[in-house]
Amino acid sequence: MTTVIKAPGEKAAEQSGKAGRTGERDKKRSEGVVLNVFSHGFLVLWAIMIVLPLIWLALGAFKTDAQIGGSALSWPANWHFDAFGRAWEKGIGGYFANTFIVLVFSVPLTMLFGSMAAYVLARYPFTGNRIIYYFFVSGAMFPVFLALVPLFFMVKRFDMLNTYQGLILVYIAYSMPFTVFFMHSFFRTLPTAIYEAAVIDGASDTRIFFQVMLPMAKPGLISVGIFNVLGQWNQYILPAVLMQPQTSGEPERYMLTQGLVQLQYQMGYETDLPVLFAGATIAIIPMLAVYLSFQRQIQAGLTSATLK
Amino acid sequence: MSHVAQGRRKGGFIASFLIAPLALYLTFVIWPYVQTFGYSFTNWTGQSPTFDFVGLENYSALLEDEVFRGALWHNLLLVVFVPVITILLALFFAFMVNAGGRGGAGGVQGVGGSRVYKIVYFFPQVLSLAILAVLFGAIYRSDEGGLLNGFLTKMGLISPEHPVEWLNEPNFVLWCLLFVVVWHGVGFYLVLFSAAMQSVPKDIYEAALLDGAGRAQTFFRVTLPLLWDSVQTSAVYLGIAAMDMFVLVSTMTSGQFGGGPDHHSEVMSTVLMRNFLYFGKSGYACAMGVVMLVLTMILSLITLRATRRERIEF
């Protein structure tokens, strides 16, 4: 069973706590002010340490190469978007597209397969149920690269190195532990009465899953979906091993993360650092957008996934 | 629910729902893990299809591999420092955000703008490690163009002629990488601990306050014990992450798959990848994988044992 901590509840709890005793208040208040300055100081410091480097990086895209090499604290002299254009042409555009193509298939399929397995494991008692469940979940314990060597040859045997479909299948497989774990606890909380009502209405198990259970699990699906988008978008090791051109004639199907690292090497030689900074900024912006629009679900999802 | 009557039909349904996820998972996750064990006893190069069984030769070679032993030592340092520093900072910030506010609210009110802090602190978590590598590569630049050197020069702490070569300095490189991991992780664990703190019933805090407990006492006697489960889980996860480190080391430090200067930032995963993709010693690389897996499991067990406390229900 999961205890989902919901944001609206926090407010009510805080207010009930406010009904304090007036006697001790003054003493507590003066102590509170001191602590407030103290705690705010550290909190602000760390916030600056997070925000400042990112702003600095974005500003770098508007500097000249000489400026970047000269002094870190110089103010941009080149307020044009030409570095972004060059970064896009250097391949960031293509890497972006590659990542997008893979995710368009891998995320929905991850959600579908993960939910199917989790649903059956959560709601149908059968022999081997627990074993299969732990089998799925245990995958989260092991670092990915322990399996890298055989995985490379496994994908090679299917002739799917440096192909989208190969990476899609691998992404789905490696997202199973988290997805099954999360959706499992979600499906368990859905009431049995609804299932029974659907059975009486004559719906088949498959139909109940797709038309009743899946829609009911929507909040959970959204949370897991976001985590899968972030996780697969940010994946580096798997594409680094599986998405290398195998012959010189093959096209580069680098993912965005790979492409960025590639750009880092390349720009070191070509001394066009604004391009690198622009490339990194291009890679950050979608993440920032996704994060800011879904941060409520991300934080709530994280909470319910980890605090069982 | 009775399943006996429709047992067979149900069996078909269960199988049809499990077959695709299981097949994918077994093929690409479980089977490669299992194969790693098998290959670790061979002298397989990865290029040729033939190989011989060599028993424990790879493992005994590992014991004598200076580079691997150094990498192992670095991983152990990281496994100790990454969880400790990250968790302490996250706990500190979580307590500040949730209970650092003005008194009168039973000592459980957050500071103003606590939501904003949670949003900002968590952001590094959604950035890919590749972005971190580019970002911190620029911050740690070895000339005045690096953010860190730029600041230090500005403050007059270092002379512009001799900036610090952060990532090329054997004594600094590992700590520079450690900072990146902490910077990346604190927000995640802050949110995690915050949620745990908020799930603690307020009357426990009120009771502590009535008994005359101060803020520090409240934290150590009430909050921390109630959070212990989360702290424990976090320690295990951070430990596993500290065993990995591949992306950061391989992209930020010098050398084939990183590890430089002169193996001072080498971790086991980079040695493994170099042996696999560069030296063509796949069997040997698999043996490293097995050692890492075993170490990870041992460390997880130790962490769980060492931090075991009586579980407090509330």
Side-chain angles (χ1 to χ4, degrees):
Chain A
M1 282 288 282
T2 27
T3 330
V4 184
I5 290 95
K6 291 211 170 67
E10 295 168 21
K11 262 244 158 73
E14 262 172 36
Q15 269 157 7
S16 73
K18 235 172 231 164
R21 297 137 309 274
T22 32
E24 280 189 16
R25 254 207 184 151
D26 291 343
K27 193 183 135 235
K28 286 284 166 201
R29 181 161 293 163
S30 66
E31 184 197 323
V33 172
V34 176
L35 198 82
N36 229 17
V37 173
F38 173 76
S39 55
H40 261 302
F42 281 104
L43 287 169
V44 167
L45 184 70
W46 191 263
I48 290 174
M49 277 168 67
I50 287 181
V51 175
L52 189 76
L54 293 166
I55 294 176
W56 176 74
L57 183 82
L59 284 178
F62 298 100
K63 293 179 183 173
T64 60
D65 195 64
Q67 255 190 318
I68 291 178
S71 168
L73 305 179
S74 57
W75 193 245
N78 172 37
W79 284 109
H80 298 287
F81 287 92
D82 54 314
F84 289 91
R86 287 204 302 282
W88 195 259
E89 280 163 25
K90 283 280 177 201
I92 289 291
Y95 306 144
F96 214 97
N98 289 338
T99 310
F100 190 76
I101 292 169
V102 169
L103 257 68
V104 161
F105 291 96
S106 63
V107 172
L109 285 171
T110 300
M111 302 304 297
L112 177 69
F113 287 155
S115 308
M116 278 163 55
Y119 175 68
V120 167
L121 292 171
R123 303 197 64 108
Y124 294 81
F126 59 91
T127 0
N129 183 313
R130 294 311 280 171
I131 294 172
I132 297 178
Y133 174 70
Y134 283 121
F135 217 50
F136 269 121
V137 173
S138 64
M141 278 288 290
F142 312 132
V144 180
F145 53 87
L146 299 192
L148 280 183
V149 183
L151 178 68
F152 174 85
F153 291 101
M154 180 66 78
V155 177
K156 191 179 181 180
R157 198 169 310 151
F158 290 126
D159 213 10
M160 289 199 292
L161 285 175
N162 201 30
T163 63
Y164 296 126
Q165 62 270 31
L167 196 62
I168 289 167
L169 292 179
V170 170
Y171 273 5
I172 298 170
Y174 279 88
S175 306
M176 277 298 128
F178 175 71
T179 312
V180 169
F181 170 69
F182 195 105
M183 291 313 295
H184 185 266
S185 59
F186 209 91
F187 281 124
R188 281 185 87 95
T189 60
L190 297 182
T192 320
I194 294 175
Y195 172 86
E196 280 161 1
V199 171
I200 292 167
D201 286 347
S204 70
D205 284 292
T206 316
R207 205 180 145 134
I208 293 173
F209 173 72
F210 283 105
Q211 296 197 334
V212 180
M213 293 301 179
L214 218 44
M216 271 170 51
K218 206 169 152 194
L221 285 172
I222 292 173
S223 289
V224 190
I226 298 164
F227 279 110
N228 279 326
V229 168
L230 292 175
Q232 296 183 5
W233 183 275
N234 287 337
Q235 182 55 252
Y236 176 77
I237 300 180
L238 289 172
V241 173
L242 301 175
M243 298 301 271
Q244 301 283 351
Q246 298 303 303
T247 56
S248 53
E250 254 189 318
E252 277 180 10
R253 296 205 181 91
Y254 286 157
M255 298 293 111
L256 191 56
T257 46
Q258 259 178 304
L260 205 58
V261 171
Q262 181 77 8
L263 198 67
Q264 189 175 23
Y265 289 126
Q266 212 181 334
M267 290 307 109
Y269 292 117
E270 291 179 25
T271 59
D272 192 356
L273 283 166
V275 166
L276 177 65
F277 285 43
T281 308
I282 294 174
I284 289 174
I285 285 170
M287 291 295 94
L288 185 64
V290 169
Y291 173 60
L292 287 181
S293 10
F294 292 102
Q295 51 90 11
R296 245 170 212 287
Q297 284 93 330
I298 292 176
Q299 298 202 349
L302 187 155
T303 311
S304 61
T306 41
L307 294 178
K308 282 218 310 162
Chain B
M1 277 188 287
S2 157
H3 296 269
V4 186
Q6 327 148 293
R8 183 155 298 173
R9 198 169 62 82
K10 283 269 193 290
F13 167 73
I14 292 168
S16 72
F17 262 44
L18 279 178
I19 193 149
L22 256 186
L24 275 177
Y25 186 65
L26 285 172
T27 312
F28 292 114
V29 183
I30 297 296
W31 185 230
Y33 277 125
V34 174
Q35 277 183 305
T36 299
F37 281 92
Y39 286 139
S40 75
F41 300 108
T42 68
N43 64 359
W44 187 38
T45 60
Q47 271 83 24
S48 76
T50 57
F51 49 80
D52 303 311
F53 181 80
V54 294
L56 292 172
E57 212 170 86
N58 286 327
Y59 291 93
S60 55
L62 267 183
L63 288 177
E64 269 147 45
D65 189 331
E66 289 285 333
V67 176
F68 185 77
R69 285 212 310 239
L72 177 65
W73 170 241
H74 294 148
N75 271 117
L76 291 179
L77 279 178
L78 291 167
V79 160
V80 172
F81 282 104
V82 167
V84 169
I85 298 174
T86 311
I87 288 175
L88 284 180
L89 275 175
L91 271 177
F92 175 71
F93 288 135
F95 190 65
M96 288 301 176
V97 163
N98 290 292
R102 283 165 201 281
V108 286
Q109 197 186 7
V111 294
S114 59
R115 263 205 82 74
V116 177
Y117 286 121
K118 279 194 225 169
I119 294 175
V120 171
Y121 283 22
F122 191 83
F123 183 59
Q125 197 64 38
V126 303
L127 298 177
S128 66
L129 291 172
I131 292 176
L132 290 194
V134 172
L135 176 64
F136 279 90
I139 289 174
Y140 289 136
R141 267 177 72 119
S142 55
D143 55 25
E144 232 189 298
L147 188 59
L148 205 49
N149 277 328
F151 263 123
L152 293 177
T153 330
K154 194 87 179 171
M155 293 194 297
L157 291 174
I158 52 171
S159 77
E161 289 83 43
H162 304 286
V164 186
E165 297 199 35
W166 298 102
L167 294 173
N168 284 319
E169 190 68 56
N171 295 325
F172 290 166
V173 62
L174 206 62
W175 306 108
C176 288
L177 294 166
L178 179 102
F179 179 78
V180 182
V181 183
V182 172
W183 185 85
H184 181 241
V186 164
F188 181 91
Y189 294 97
L190 160 79
V191 171
L192 192 70
F193 294 149
S194 290
M197 282 180 189
Q198 270 156 12
S199 70
V200 175
K202 301 290 165 192
D203 40 351
I204 296 185
Y205 284 117
E206 297 204 335
L209 202 76
L210 279 178
D211 290 345
R215 224 173 283 255
Q217 261 183 315
T218 314
F219 178 75
F220 285 107
R221 297 285 174 79
V222 181
T223 312
L224 195 56
L226 290 172
L227 247 61
W228 202 250
D229 266 2
S230 312
V231 172
Q232 205 181 30
T233 319
S234 309
V236 173
Y237 276 121
L238 282 162
I240 292 174
M243 281 297 237
D244 182 329
M245 294 293 291
F246 174 75
V247 180
L248 287 181
V249 178
S250 70
T251 51
M252 286 177 67
T253 61
S254 56
Q256 192 74 30
F257 295 104
D262 196 24
H263 302 305
H264 275 91
S265 65
E266 205 76 74
V267 287
M268 291 188 283
S269 55
T270 54
V271 186
L272 185 156
M273 285 295 262
R274 195 177 308 123
N275 276 285
F276 165 43
L277 290 174
Y278 198 59
F279 297 151
K281 291 161 90 174
S282 296
Y284 191 47
C286 283
M288 289 182 197
V290 173
V291 170
M292 293 180 66
L293 179 64
V294 172
L295 282 176
T296 308
M297 293 174 91
I298 291 175
L299 279 164
S300 303
L301 282 178
I302 291 176
T303 313
L304 291 176
R305 278 305 275 261
T307 57
R308 194 168 58 180
R309 296 280 187 283
E310 206 143 300
R311 200 197 149 94
I312 300 157
E313 301 281 347
F314 56 87

